[in-house]
Amino acid sequence: AMAASTAARVAVLVVALVFISADYTPKPLDLTKLVGKRVMLVSAHPDDIEAAAGGTVKMLTQQGSHVRFVIATNGDKGCSNPECVDWSSNEIAVARAKEAVAAAAVLGVNASDVVILGYEDSDLTSVPEREVRERVVFQIRNFQPDVIMTWYGQPRFEMMPSLGWFDLGYHMDHQDIGRITLAAHGCSHVGRIFPDAGAPWQAAEFYMWQFQYPVLYTNISTSVDAKGAAFGQHKTQNPSEAQAAALMLGLAEKVAEGTGVE
C-alpha cells in the first residue's frame, strides 16, 4: 500500500453550486451528513469517477451511503495500454464496462449501481442535448438521490496537460455532461417536463467537482489507497496498477496544493 503524504491526504471533490461565498477559503465537506443517504455521481467516461472522487466514494460507502454511478459514454475510443491498441472500438467498450464494474467494487459500489448510457466516447456533444438530459432525468427520478455530483461545466484552460493535469481541465465530454446534469437536476422535479421519465424528484444538494479552486474538499487519508486501486482496474487506461496508483497519488498531491491544507 502506498503511503499518503501530508499533501495527498486532501483531495478536492466539489465546487458547490448552492451558493457562491465571498470567502473562497476551502472548507471540508462534512460527509457524515450523508450517512444512509443516496448519492449519484454522473460522469462522462468509465474511469472519471475514480480519478475525480474515488477516495470520497470509498468513504461514502464505508459509512453506509448508497452510491450509484451514471456514466454517459462507453469509453470506446480510450486505450492507453499496448494490449488494446489493435482492438476494435466495440471490444474496448466491452472491456471498459467490465473495468467500470471492477473499479466500482473496489470502492464499495454494487455492479447494479453502475449505469452506462452507452454514447460514443468524445462524441457526446454530437448527441441532441435534450435526449441526454431526458435520460439523466430518468436516472435521477429512478434512483431518487439526495445528492448529485458531476463534472464542473466550464473548461479550465490553465490546467494544461503539460502541467500534469491530463484532460482534467478540458475535455468536451466532461463539460458537456456537467452542464447537462445541472440542467437535468434543475427540471427533474417538474412532472410536465419529460413526463415519461418517471415521477418527479429533485436532489437536496448538487455539487460539481474540479481541481484548482475548490470551495469544498474531502480528506481522503483513509481512502487514497482505494482510490489508486480502483483506478488501476481500468487496465485499458493503465499499463500497470502500480502506475495507476502513482498517478492518483500524484493527482491528490497536486490538488491538495490548491486547498491550503497542510
Side-chain angles (χ1 to χ4, degrees):
M2 56 187 170
S5 68
T6 301
R9 293 176 181 175
V10 178
V12 169
L13 169 65
V14 291
V15 167
L17 285 191
V18 179
F19 62 89
I20 298 297
S21 171
D23 177 10
Y24 288 101
T25 302
K27 297 177 175 62
L29 176 64
D30 180 14
L31 295 183
T32 61
K33 67 180 181 179
L34 303 182
V35 171
K37 302 293 187 179
R38 291 172 172 257
V39 181
M40 174 182 286
L41 294 93
V42 185
S43 73
H45 308 108
D47 60 341
D48 287 355
I49 294 172
E50 288 74 29
T56 300
V57 169
K58 183 66 172 181
M59 293 169 68
L60 287 169
T61 60
Q62 285 181 324
Q63 71 177 17
S65 302
H66 184 178
V67 177
R68 176 164 293 182
F69 294 173
V70 176
I71 304 165
T73 79
N74 58 17
D76 65 338
K77 305 300 189 297
C79 168
S80 300
N81 188 325
E83 291 186 5
C84 58
V85 169
D86 295 325
W87 292 4
S88 67
S89 292
N90 182 65
E91 289 173 321
I92 292 174
V94 170
R96 296 201 70 180
K98 294 177 181 177
E99 292 169 354
V101 170
V106 173
L107 300 178
V109 177
N110 295 325
S112 59
D113 283 312
V114 178
V115 179
I116 300 177
L117 301 184
Y119 293 108
E120 290 187 28
D121 191 353
S122 300
D123 198 40
L124 195 59
T125 55
S126 300
V127 181
E129 187 273 342
R130 189 180 190 279
E131 174 189 325
V132 184
R133 179 158 48 98
E134 181 173 12
R135 294 188 69 184
V136 175
V137 166
F138 173 81
Q139 294 299 326
I140 292 171
R141 292 174 176 174
N142 178 59
F143 185 58
Q144 298 185 340
D146 299 289
V147 177
I148 297 173
M149 301 177 181
T150 189
W151 278 100
Y152 185 58
Q154 298 297 322
R156 306 301 297 266
F157 294 115
E158 71 275 18
M159 294 172 60
M160 295 182 289
S162 61
L163 297 178
W165 289 111
F166 307 101
D167 63 1
L168 297 177
Y170 177 74
H171 188 296
M172 54 190 173
D173 288 345
H174 295 172
Q175 281 73 58
D176 202 37
I177 196 60
R179 290 191 295 267
I180 290 172
T181 303
L182 176 59
H185 166 67
C187 71
S188 59
H189 66 295
V190 182
R192 292 180 182 275
I193 300 177
F194 304 127
D196 297 327
W201 179 268
Q202 188 170 51
E205 298 181 29
F206 185 94
Y207 302 103
M208 300 179 111
W209 59 69
Q210 61 98 2
F211 304 89
Q212 268 204 313
Y213 306 107
V215 173
L216 301 172
Y217 66 88
T218 54
N219 184 325
I220 62 167
S221 59
T222 61
S223 58
V224 67
D225 288 351
K227 175 187 180 79
F231 193 68
Q233 299 304 307
H234 295 279
K235 301 185 187 306
T236 56
Q237 312 307 299
N238 303 289
S240 75
E241 292 187 22
Q243 182 180 19
L247 283 173
M248 291 300 96
L249 182 59
L251 176 61
E253 292 174 333
K254 193 171 183 64
V255 168
E257 295 172 3
T259 67
V261 177
E262 296 183 359

